[in-house]
PDB file of all heavy atoms in Angstrom:
ATOM      1  N   GLU A 405      71.568  62.630  82.393  1.00 81.00           N
ATOM      2  CA  GLU A 405      72.292  61.687  81.542  1.00 81.00           C
ATOM      3  C   GLU A 405      73.088  62.456  80.482  1.00 81.00           C
ATOM      4  O   GLU A 405      74.245  62.143  80.212  1.00 81.00           O
ATOM      5  CB  GLU A 405      71.273  60.755  80.888  1.00 81.00           C
ATOM      6  CG  GLU A 405      71.813  59.410  80.476  1.00 81.00           C
ATOM      7  CD  GLU A 405      72.224  58.562  81.661  1.00 81.00           C
ATOM      8  OE1 GLU A 405      71.549  58.599  82.710  1.00 81.00           O
ATOM      9  OE2 GLU A 405      73.234  57.859  81.526  1.00 81.00           O
ATOM     10  N   VAL A 406      72.459  63.488  79.906  1.00 79.00           N
ATOM     11  CA  VAL A 406      73.134  64.294  78.892  1.00 79.00           C
ATOM     12  C   VAL A 406      74.309  65.045  79.518  1.00 79.00           C
ATOM     13  O   VAL A 406      75.390  65.132  78.949  1.00 79.00           O
ATOM     14  CB  VAL A 406      72.148  65.289  78.223  1.00 79.00           C
ATOM     15  CG1 VAL A 406      72.893  66.279  77.339  1.00 79.00           C
ATOM     16  CG2 VAL A 406      71.112  64.528  77.414  1.00 79.00           C
ATOM     17  N   ARG A 407      74.086  65.570  80.740  1.00 78.00           N
ATOM     18  CA  ARG A 407      75.150  66.309  81.416  1.00 78.00           C
ATOM     19  C   ARG A 407      76.367  65.404  81.632  1.00 78.00           C
ATOM     20  O   ARG A 407      77.509  65.831  81.519  1.00 78.00           O
ATOM     21  CB  ARG A 407      74.650  66.812  82.782  1.00 78.00           C
ATOM     22  CG  ARG A 407      75.707  67.561  83.586  1.00 78.00           C
ATOM     23  CD  ARG A 407      75.137  68.261  84.820  1.00 78.00           C
ATOM     24  NE  ARG A 407      75.058  67.426  85.990  1.00 78.00           N
ATOM     25  CZ  ARG A 407      75.955  67.433  86.974  1.00 78.00           C
ATOM     26  NH1 ARG A 407      77.003  68.205  86.907  1.00 78.00           N
ATOM     27  NH2 ARG A 407      75.814  66.651  88.011  1.00 78.00           N
ATOM     28  N   ARG A 408      76.092  64.158  81.923  1.00 82.00           N
ATOM     29  CA  ARG A 408      77.183  63.231  82.241  1.00 82.00           C
ATOM     30  C   ARG A 408      77.798  62.594  81.010  1.00 82.00           C
ATOM     31  O   ARG A 408      78.860  61.978  81.103  1.00 82.00           O
ATOM     32  CB  ARG A 408      76.660  62.114  83.151  1.00 82.00           C
ATOM     33  CG  ARG A 408      76.362  62.591  84.547  1.00 82.00           C
ATOM     34  CD  ARG A 408      75.572  61.555  85.330  1.00 82.00           C
ATOM     35  NE  ARG A 408      75.272  62.065  86.655  1.00 82.00           N
ATOM     36  CZ  ARG A 408      76.051  61.880  87.714  1.00 82.00           C
ATOM     37  NH1 ARG A 408      77.150  61.177  87.613  1.00 82.00           N
ATOM     38  NH2 ARG A 408      75.726  62.403  88.881  1.00 82.00           N
ATOM     39  N   ALA A 409      77.120  62.761  79.858  1.00 84.00           N
ATOM     40  CA  ALA A 409      77.579  62.072  78.652  1.00 84.00           C
ATOM     41  C   ALA A 409      79.017  62.456  78.333  1.00 84.00           C
ATOM     42  O   ALA A 409      79.352  63.630  78.221  1.00 84.00           O
ATOM     43  CB  ALA A 409      76.669  62.424  77.478  1.00 84.00           C
ATOM     44  N   GLY A 410      79.881  61.472  78.192  1.00 87.00           N
ATOM     45  CA  GLY A 410      81.264  61.722  77.819  1.00 87.00           C
ATOM     46  C   GLY A 410      82.085  62.385  78.900  1.00 87.00           C
ATOM     47  O   GLY A 410      83.177  62.865  78.646  1.00 87.00           O
ATOM     48  N   ARG A 411      81.558  62.445  80.111  1.00 91.00           N
ATOM     49  CA  ARG A 411      82.277  63.120  81.203  1.00 91.00           C
ATOM     50  C   ARG A 411      82.471  62.185  82.388  1.00 91.00           C
ATOM     51  O   ARG A 411      81.672  61.278  82.616  1.00 91.00           O
ATOM     52  CB  ARG A 411      81.489  64.350  81.700  1.00 91.00           C
ATOM     53  CG  ARG A 411      81.042  65.307  80.621  1.00 91.00           C
ATOM     54  CD  ARG A 411      82.156  65.954  79.873  1.00 91.00           C
ATOM     55  NE  ARG A 411      82.948  66.880  80.679  1.00 91.00           N
ATOM     56  CZ  ARG A 411      84.004  67.543  80.206  1.00 91.00           C
ATOM     57  NH1 ARG A 411      84.385  67.372  78.959  1.00 91.00           N
ATOM     58  NH2 ARG A 411      84.685  68.361  80.991  1.00 91.00           N
ATOM     59  N   THR A 412      83.528  62.438  83.137  1.00 94.00           N
ATOM     60  CA  THR A 412      83.715  61.759  84.409  1.00 94.00           C
ATOM     61  C   THR A 412      83.541  62.809  85.503  1.00 94.00           C
ATOM     62  O   THR A 412      84.240  63.822  85.504  1.00 94.00           O
ATOM     63  CB  THR A 412      85.132  61.156  84.505  1.00 94.00           C
ATOM     64  OG1 THR A 412      85.278  60.197  83.473  1.00 94.00           O
ATOM     65  CG2 THR A 412      85.342  60.488  85.856  1.00 94.00           C
ATOM     66  N   LEU A 413      82.600  62.583  86.370  1.00 95.00           N
ATOM     67  CA  LEU A 413      82.344  63.553  87.438  1.00 95.00           C
ATOM     68  C   LEU A 413      82.940  63.037  88.751  1.00 95.00           C
ATOM     69  O   LEU A 413      82.725  61.889  89.134  1.00 95.00           O
ATOM     70  CB  LEU A 413      80.836  63.774  87.614  1.00 95.00           C
ATOM     71  CG  LEU A 413      80.061  64.177  86.360  1.00 95.00           C
ATOM     72  CD1 LEU A 413      78.629  64.544  86.711  1.00 95.00           C
ATOM     73  CD2 LEU A 413      80.737  65.355  85.661  1.00 95.00           C
ATOM     74  N   THR A 414      83.716  63.901  89.399  1.00 97.00           N
ATOM     75  CA  THR A 414      84.310  63.523  90.680  1.00 97.00           C
ATOM     76  C   THR A 414      83.786  64.467  91.747  1.00 97.00           C
ATOM     77  O   THR A 414      84.258  65.599  91.876  1.00 97.00           O
ATOM     78  CB  THR A 414      85.852  63.627  90.614  1.00 97.00           C
ATOM     79  OG1 THR A 414      86.301  62.976  89.432  1.00 97.00           O
ATOM     80  CG2 THR A 414      86.507  62.998  91.832  1.00 97.00           C
ATOM     81  N   PRO A 415      82.779  64.045  92.496  1.00 97.00           N
ATOM     82  CA  PRO A 415      82.182  64.948  93.481  1.00 97.00           C
ATOM     83  C   PRO A 415      82.968  64.992  94.780  1.00 97.00           C
ATOM     84  O   PRO A 415      83.572  63.993  95.192  1.00 97.00           O
ATOM     85  CB  PRO A 415      80.802  64.330  93.728  1.00 97.00           C
ATOM     86  CG  PRO A 415      80.949  62.891  93.393  1.00 97.00           C
ATOM     87  CD  PRO A 415      82.112  62.742  92.445  1.00 97.00           C
ATOM     88  N   PHE A 416      82.979  66.157  95.395  1.00 98.00           N
ATOM     89  CA  PHE A 416      83.507  66.293  96.752  1.00 98.00           C
ATOM     90  C   PHE A 416      82.345  66.724  97.637  1.00 98.00           C
ATOM     91  O   PHE A 416      81.620  67.667  97.315  1.00 98.00           O
ATOM     92  CB  PHE A 416      84.636  67.325  96.798  1.00 98.00           C
ATOM     93  CG  PHE A 416      85.066  67.650  98.200  1.00 98.00           C
ATOM     94  CD1 PHE A 416      85.756  66.724  98.971  1.00 98.00           C
ATOM     95  CD2 PHE A 416      84.735  68.874  98.780  1.00 98.00           C
ATOM     96  CE1 PHE A 416      86.122  67.006 100.274  1.00 98.00           C
ATOM     97  CE2 PHE A 416      85.106  69.168 100.086  1.00 98.00           C
ATOM     98  CZ  PHE A 416      85.806  68.229 100.832  1.00 98.00           C
ATOM     99  N   HIS A 417      82.166  66.007  98.731  1.00 98.00           N
ATOM    100  CA  HIS A 417      81.071  66.318  99.653  1.00 98.00           C
ATOM    101  C   HIS A 417      81.580  67.292 100.709  1.00 98.00           C
ATOM    102  O   HIS A 417      82.377  66.901 101.560  1.00 98.00           O
ATOM    103  CB  HIS A 417      80.552  65.034 100.312  1.00 98.00           C
ATOM    104  CG  HIS A 417      80.181  63.974  99.317  1.00 98.00           C
ATOM    105  ND1 HIS A 417      79.025  64.041  98.574  1.00 98.00           N
ATOM    106  CD2 HIS A 417      80.824  62.850  98.913  1.00 98.00           C
ATOM    107  CE1 HIS A 417      78.966  62.987  97.769  1.00 98.00           C
ATOM    108  NE2 HIS A 417      80.046  62.257  97.949  1.00 98.00           N
ATOM    109  N   PRO A 418      81.145  68.552 100.658  1.00 98.00           N
ATOM    110  CA  PRO A 418      81.710  69.559 101.555  1.00 98.00           C
ATOM    111  C   PRO A 418      81.433  69.274 103.035  1.00 98.00           C
ATOM    112  O   PRO A 418      80.360  68.784 103.382  1.00 98.00           O
ATOM    113  CB  PRO A 418      80.990  70.851 101.146  1.00 98.00           C
ATOM    114  CG  PRO A 418      80.462  70.594  99.784  1.00 98.00           C
ATOM    115  CD  PRO A 418      80.158  69.135  99.732  1.00 98.00           C
ATOM    116  N   SER A 419      82.428  69.566 103.848  1.00 98.00           N
ATOM    117  CA  SER A 419      82.198  69.527 105.296  1.00 98.00           C
ATOM    118  C   SER A 419      82.949  70.701 105.922  1.00 98.00           C
ATOM    119  O   SER A 419      83.959  71.166 105.392  1.00 98.00           O
ATOM    120  CB  SER A 419      82.673  68.200 105.884  1.00 98.00           C
ATOM    121  OG  SER A 419      84.058  68.074 105.706  1.00 98.00           O
ATOM    122  N   ARG A 420      82.430  71.172 107.020  1.00 98.00           N
ATOM    123  CA  ARG A 420      82.968  72.365 107.673  1.00 98.00           C
ATOM    124  C   ARG A 420      84.448  72.189 108.008  1.00 98.00           C
ATOM    125  O   ARG A 420      84.824  71.185 108.619  1.00 98.00           O
ATOM    126  CB  ARG A 420      82.180  72.610 108.957  1.00 98.00           C
ATOM    127  CG  ARG A 420      82.451  73.939 109.586  1.00 98.00           C
ATOM    128  CD  ARG A 420      81.538  74.131 110.777  1.00 98.00           C
ATOM    129  NE  ARG A 420      82.304  74.429 111.962  1.00 98.00           N
ATOM    130  CZ  ARG A 420      81.851  74.279 113.198  1.00 98.00           C
ATOM    131  NH1 ARG A 420      80.624  73.803 113.395  1.00 98.00           N
ATOM    132  NH2 ARG A 420      82.605  74.586 114.217  1.00 98.00           N
ATOM    133  N   GLY A 421      85.265  73.148 107.588  1.00 98.00           N
ATOM    134  CA  GLY A 421      86.703  73.091 107.873  1.00 98.00           C
ATOM    135  C   GLY A 421      87.513  72.453 106.757  1.00 98.00           C
ATOM    136  O   GLY A 421      88.731  72.530 106.756  1.00 98.00           O
ATOM    137  N   ALA A 422      86.834  71.823 105.791  1.00 98.00           N
ATOM    138  CA  ALA A 422      87.554  71.190 104.676  1.00 98.00           C
ATOM    139  C   ALA A 422      87.896  72.239 103.621  1.00 98.00           C
ATOM    140  O   ALA A 422      87.227  73.270 103.519  1.00 98.00           O
ATOM    141  CB  ALA A 422      86.709  70.090 104.051  1.00 98.00           C
ATOM    142  N   ALA A 423      88.943  71.975 102.853  1.00 98.00           N
ATOM    143  CA  ALA A 423      89.305  72.879 101.755  1.00 98.00           C
ATOM    144  C   ALA A 423      89.706  72.072 100.531  1.00 98.00           C
ATOM    145  O   ALA A 423      90.280  70.990 100.652  1.00 98.00           O
ATOM    146  CB  ALA A 423      90.448  73.793 102.170  1.00 98.00           C
ATOM    147  N   VAL A 424      89.365  72.612  99.369  1.00 98.00           N
ATOM    148  CA  VAL A 424      89.815  72.058  98.098  1.00 98.00           C
ATOM    149  C   VAL A 424      90.718  73.116  97.479  1.00 98.00           C
ATOM    150  O   VAL A 424      90.308  74.271  97.336  1.00 98.00           O
ATOM    151  CB  VAL A 424      88.621  71.784  97.157  1.00 98.00           C
ATOM    152  CG1 VAL A 424      89.091  71.128  95.870  1.00 98.00           C
ATOM    153  CG2 VAL A 424      87.595  70.910  97.845  1.00 98.00           C
ATOM    154  N   ILE A 425      91.942  72.745  97.169  1.00 98.00           N
ATOM    155  CA  ILE A 425      92.912  73.697  96.614  1.00 98.00           C
ATOM    156  C   ILE A 425      93.431  73.123  95.306  1.00 98.00           C
ATOM    157  O   ILE A 425      93.852  71.970  95.263  1.00 98.00           O
ATOM    158  CB  ILE A 425      94.068  73.948  97.609  1.00 98.00           C
ATOM    159  CG1 ILE A 425      93.513  74.573  98.892  1.00 98.00           C
ATOM    160  CG2 ILE A 425      95.148  74.830  96.986  1.00 98.00           C
ATOM    161  CD1 ILE A 425      94.560  74.848  99.965  1.00 98.00           C
ATOM    162  N   PHE A 426      93.368  73.917  94.237  1.00 98.00           N
ATOM    163  CA  PHE A 426      93.734  73.360  92.925  1.00 98.00           C
ATOM    164  C   PHE A 426      94.273  74.430  91.987  1.00 98.00           C
ATOM    165  O   PHE A 426      94.053  75.629  92.192  1.00 98.00           O
ATOM    166  CB  PHE A 426      92.522  72.662  92.294  1.00 98.00           C
ATOM    167  CG  PHE A 426      91.259  73.493  92.271  1.00 98.00           C
ATOM    168  CD1 PHE A 426      90.896  74.204  91.134  1.00 98.00           C
ATOM    169  CD2 PHE A 426      90.436  73.571  93.386  1.00 98.00           C
ATOM    170  CE1 PHE A 426      89.732  74.962  91.103  1.00 98.00           C
ATOM    171  CE2 PHE A 426      89.263  74.339  93.368  1.00 98.00           C
ATOM    172  CZ  PHE A 426      88.918  75.031  92.232  1.00 98.00           C
ATOM    173  N   SER A 427      94.987  73.976  90.956  1.00 98.00           N
ATOM    174  CA  SER A 427      95.437  74.890  89.907  1.00 98.00           C
ATOM    175  C   SER A 427      94.198  75.348  89.153  1.00 98.00           C
ATOM    176  O   SER A 427      93.266  74.573  88.943  1.00 98.00           O
ATOM    177  CB  SER A 427      96.424  74.176  88.981  1.00 98.00           C
ATOM    178  OG  SER A 427      95.943  72.890  88.628  1.00 98.00           O
ATOM    179  N   SER A 428      94.186  76.634  88.731  1.00 98.00           N
ATOM    180  CA  SER A 428      92.944  77.218  88.203  1.00 98.00           C
ATOM    181  C   SER A 428      92.703  76.979  86.716  1.00 98.00           C
ATOM    182  O   SER A 428      91.737  77.483  86.170  1.00 98.00           O
ATOM    183  CB  SER A 428      92.946  78.733  88.442  1.00 98.00           C
ATOM    184  OG  SER A 428      93.252  79.042  89.776  1.00 98.00           O
ATOM    185  N   GLY A 429      93.600  76.221  86.054  1.00 97.00           N
ATOM    186  CA  GLY A 429      93.493  76.058  84.605  1.00 97.00           C
ATOM    187  C   GLY A 429      92.384  75.115  84.163  1.00 97.00           C
ATOM    188  O   GLY A 429      91.601  74.630  84.979  1.00 97.00           O
ATOM    189  N   TRP A 430      92.374  74.840  82.850  1.00 97.00           N
ATOM    190  CA  TRP A 430      91.279  74.076  82.221  1.00 97.00           C
ATOM    191  C   TRP A 430      91.331  72.591  82.605  1.00 97.00           C
ATOM    192  O   TRP A 430      90.415  71.858  82.296  1.00 97.00           O
ATOM    193  CB  TRP A 430      91.324  74.272  80.713  1.00 97.00           C
ATOM    194  CG  TRP A 430      90.834  75.638  80.295  1.00 97.00           C
ATOM    195  CD1 TRP A 430      89.608  75.921  79.770  1.00 97.00           C
ATOM    196  CD2 TRP A 430      91.527  76.888  80.397  1.00 97.00           C
ATOM    197  NE1 TRP A 430      89.509  77.280  79.544  1.00 97.00           N
ATOM    198  CE2 TRP A 430      90.666  77.894  79.900  1.00 97.00           C
ATOM    199  CE3 TRP A 430      92.790  77.275  80.855  1.00 97.00           C
ATOM    200  CZ2 TRP A 430      91.026  79.248  79.860  1.00 97.00           C
ATOM    201  CZ3 TRP A 430      93.153  78.618  80.814  1.00 97.00           C
ATOM    202  CH2 TRP A 430      92.280  79.581  80.321  1.00 97.00           C
ATOM    203  N   GLU A 431      92.413  72.191  83.284  1.00 98.00           N
ATOM    204  CA  GLU A 431      92.490  70.818  83.799  1.00 98.00           C
ATOM    205  C   GLU A 431      91.534  70.621  84.969  1.00 98.00           C
ATOM    206  O   GLU A 431      91.256  69.504  85.365  1.00 98.00           O
ATOM    207  CB  GLU A 431      93.923  70.491  84.263  1.00 98.00           C
ATOM    208  CG  GLU A 431      94.433  71.305  85.467  1.00 98.00           C
ATOM    209  CD  GLU A 431      94.899  72.703  85.090  1.00 98.00           C
ATOM    210  OE1 GLU A 431      94.954  72.987  83.882  1.00 98.00           O
ATOM    211  OE2 GLU A 431      95.187  73.499  86.005  1.00 98.00           O
ATOM    212  N   ASN A 432      91.067  71.748  85.511  1.00 98.00           N
ATOM    213  CA  ASN A 432      90.220  71.658  86.704  1.00 98.00           C
ATOM    214  C   ASN A 432      88.864  72.332  86.506  1.00 98.00           C
ATOM    215  O   ASN A 432      88.417  73.130  87.329  1.00 98.00           O
ATOM    216  CB  ASN A 432      90.954  72.247  87.913  1.00 98.00           C
ATOM    217  CG  ASN A 432      91.951  71.268  88.505  1.00 98.00           C
ATOM    218  OD1 ASN A 432      91.706  70.055  88.507  1.00 98.00           O
ATOM    219  ND2 ASN A 432      93.076  71.771  88.997  1.00 98.00           N
ATOM    220  N   MET A 433      88.190  71.959  85.386  1.00 96.00           N
ATOM    221  CA  MET A 433      86.812  72.432  85.200  1.00 96.00           C
ATOM    222  C   MET A 433      85.966  71.873  86.334  1.00 96.00           C
ATOM    223  O   MET A 433      86.123  70.718  86.717  1.00 96.00           O
ATOM    224  CB  MET A 433      86.251  71.875  83.882  1.00 96.00           C
ATOM    225  CG  MET A 433      86.757  72.580  82.672  1.00 96.00           C
ATOM    226  SD  MET A 433      85.892  71.944  81.219  1.00 96.00           S
ATOM    227  CE  MET A 433      86.953  72.633  79.948  1.00 96.00           C
ATOM    228  N   HIS A 434      85.079  72.724  86.836  1.00 96.00           N
ATOM    229  CA  HIS A 434      84.264  72.238  87.952  1.00 96.00           C
ATOM    230  C   HIS A 434      82.922  72.950  87.994  1.00 96.00           C
ATOM    231  O   HIS A 434      82.712  73.957  87.313  1.00 96.00           O
ATOM    232  CB  HIS A 434      85.002  72.424  89.276  1.00 96.00           C
ATOM    233  CG  HIS A 434      85.389  73.854  89.545  1.00 96.00           C
ATOM    234  ND1 HIS A 434      86.535  74.434  89.017  1.00 96.00           N
ATOM    235  CD2 HIS A 434      84.792  74.822  90.270  1.00 96.00           C
ATOM    236  CE1 HIS A 434      86.609  75.680  89.409  1.00 96.00           C
ATOM    237  NE2 HIS A 434      85.564  75.962  90.167  1.00 96.00           N
ATOM    238  N   GLU A 435      82.047  72.431  88.812  1.00 94.00           N
ATOM    239  CA  GLU A 435      80.716  73.019  88.967  1.00 94.00           C
ATOM    240  C   GLU A 435      80.259  72.737  90.393  1.00 94.00           C
ATOM    241  O   GLU A 435      80.865  71.938  91.100  1.00 94.00           O
ATOM    242  CB  GLU A 435      79.746  72.390  87.960  1.00 94.00           C
ATOM    243  CG  GLU A 435      79.598  70.891  88.137  1.00 94.00           C
ATOM    244  CD  GLU A 435      79.126  70.192  86.869  1.00 94.00           C
ATOM    245  OE1 GLU A 435      78.259  70.739  86.190  1.00 94.00           O
ATOM    246  OE2 GLU A 435      79.635  69.099  86.570  1.00 94.00           O
ATOM    247  N   VAL A 436      79.231  73.443  90.793  1.00 94.00           N
ATOM    248  CA  VAL A 436      78.641  73.168  92.105  1.00 94.00           C
ATOM    249  C   VAL A 436      77.214  72.723  91.866  1.00 94.00           C
ATOM    250  O   VAL A 436      76.426  73.438  91.234  1.00 94.00           O
ATOM    251  CB  VAL A 436      78.674  74.411  93.020  1.00 94.00           C
ATOM    252  CG1 VAL A 436      78.024  74.089  94.368  1.00 94.00           C
ATOM    253  CG2 VAL A 436      80.099  74.895  93.210  1.00 94.00           C
ATOM    254  N   GLU A 437      76.893  71.533  92.337  1.00 93.00           N
ATOM    255  CA  GLU A 437      75.546  70.997  92.135  1.00 93.00           C
ATOM    256  C   GLU A 437      74.545  71.760  92.982  1.00 93.00           C
ATOM    257  O   GLU A 437      74.874  72.321  94.029  1.00 93.00           O
ATOM    258  CB  GLU A 437      75.516  69.499  92.478  1.00 93.00           C
ATOM    259  CG  GLU A 437      76.151  68.665  91.388  1.00 93.00           C
ATOM    260  CD  GLU A 437      76.266  67.188  91.740  1.00 93.00           C
ATOM    261  OE1 GLU A 437      76.019  66.819  92.903  1.00 93.00           O
ATOM    262  OE2 GLU A 437      76.630  66.418  90.848  1.00 93.00           O
ATOM    263  N   LYS A 438      73.313  71.728  92.503  1.00 92.00           N
ATOM    264  CA  LYS A 438      72.209  72.431  93.155  1.00 92.00           C
ATOM    265  C   LYS A 438      72.074  72.019  94.623  1.00 92.00           C
ATOM    266  O   LYS A 438      72.166  70.847  94.963  1.00 92.00           O
ATOM    267  CB  LYS A 438      70.921  72.057  92.422  1.00 92.00           C
ATOM    268  CG  LYS A 438      69.801  73.039  92.543  1.00 92.00           C
ATOM    269  CD  LYS A 438      68.655  72.553  91.639  1.00 92.00           C
ATOM    270  CE  LYS A 438      67.424  73.394  91.835  1.00 92.00           C
ATOM    271  NZ  LYS A 438      67.590  74.757  91.296  1.00 92.00           N
ATOM    272  N   ILE A 439      71.861  73.015  95.441  1.00 94.00           N
ATOM    273  CA  ILE A 439      71.569  72.740  96.840  1.00 94.00           C
ATOM    274  C   ILE A 439      70.073  72.488  96.953  1.00 94.00           C
ATOM    275  O   ILE A 439      69.270  73.308  96.506  1.00 94.00           O
ATOM    276  CB  ILE A 439      71.982  73.925  97.723  1.00 94.00           C
ATOM    277  CG1 ILE A 439      73.492  74.043  97.663  1.00 94.00           C
ATOM    278  CG2 ILE A 439      71.498  73.742  99.141  1.00 94.00           C
ATOM    279  CD1 ILE A 439      74.056  74.979  98.635  1.00 94.00           C
ATOM    280  N   THR A 440      69.705  71.352  97.488  1.00 94.00           N
ATOM    281  CA  THR A 440      68.279  70.995  97.500  1.00 94.00           C
ATOM    282  C   THR A 440      67.579  71.440  98.780  1.00 94.00           C
ATOM    283  O   THR A 440      66.362  71.596  98.804  1.00 94.00           O
ATOM    284  CB  THR A 440      68.092  69.485  97.280  1.00 94.00           C
ATOM    285  OG1 THR A 440      68.902  68.792  98.239  1.00 94.00           O
ATOM    286  CG2 THR A 440      68.536  69.101  95.876  1.00 94.00           C
ATOM    287  N   SER A 441      68.346  71.633  99.858  1.00 95.00           N
ATOM    288  CA  SER A 441      67.747  72.228 101.054  1.00 95.00           C
ATOM    289  C   SER A 441      68.843  72.832 101.919  1.00 95.00           C
ATOM    290  O   SER A 441      70.006  72.460 101.816  1.00 95.00           O
ATOM    291  CB  SER A 441      66.971  71.177 101.858  1.00 95.00           C
ATOM    292  OG  SER A 441      67.881  70.310 102.488  1.00 95.00           O
ATOM    293  N   GLY A 442      68.453  73.800 102.749  1.00 95.00           N
ATOM    294  CA  GLY A 442      69.399  74.387 103.691  1.00 95.00           C
ATOM    295  C   GLY A 442      70.277  75.469 103.075  1.00 95.00           C
ATOM    296  O   GLY A 442      70.021  75.964 101.970  1.00 95.00           O
ATOM    297  N   VAL A 443      71.320  75.852 103.807  1.00 94.00           N
ATOM    298  CA  VAL A 443      72.222  76.927 103.398  1.00 94.00           C
ATOM    299  C   VAL A 443      73.653  76.421 103.490  1.00 94.00           C
ATOM    300  O   VAL A 443      74.019  75.744 104.447  1.00 94.00           O
ATOM    301  CB  VAL A 443      72.060  78.152 104.338  1.00 94.00           C
ATOM    302  CG1 VAL A 443      72.991  79.268 103.906  1.00 94.00           C
ATOM    303  CG2 VAL A 443      70.617  78.629 104.350  1.00 94.00           C
TER     304      VAL A 443
END
Side-chain angles (χ1 to χ4, degrees):
E405 205 66 37
V406 171
R407 178 170 86 99
R408 289 168 182 269
R411 309 297 293 179
T412 298
L413 306 188
T414 312
F416 171 70
H417 307 285
S419 63
R420 191 175 125 200
V424 183
I425 298 179
F426 50 97
S427 46
S428 310
W430 286 258
E431 65 281 353
N432 280 325
M433 283 186 193
H434 58 277
E435 60 203 320
V436 179
E437 284 174 350
K438 204 175 173 70
I439 294 190
T440 53
S441 72
V443 180

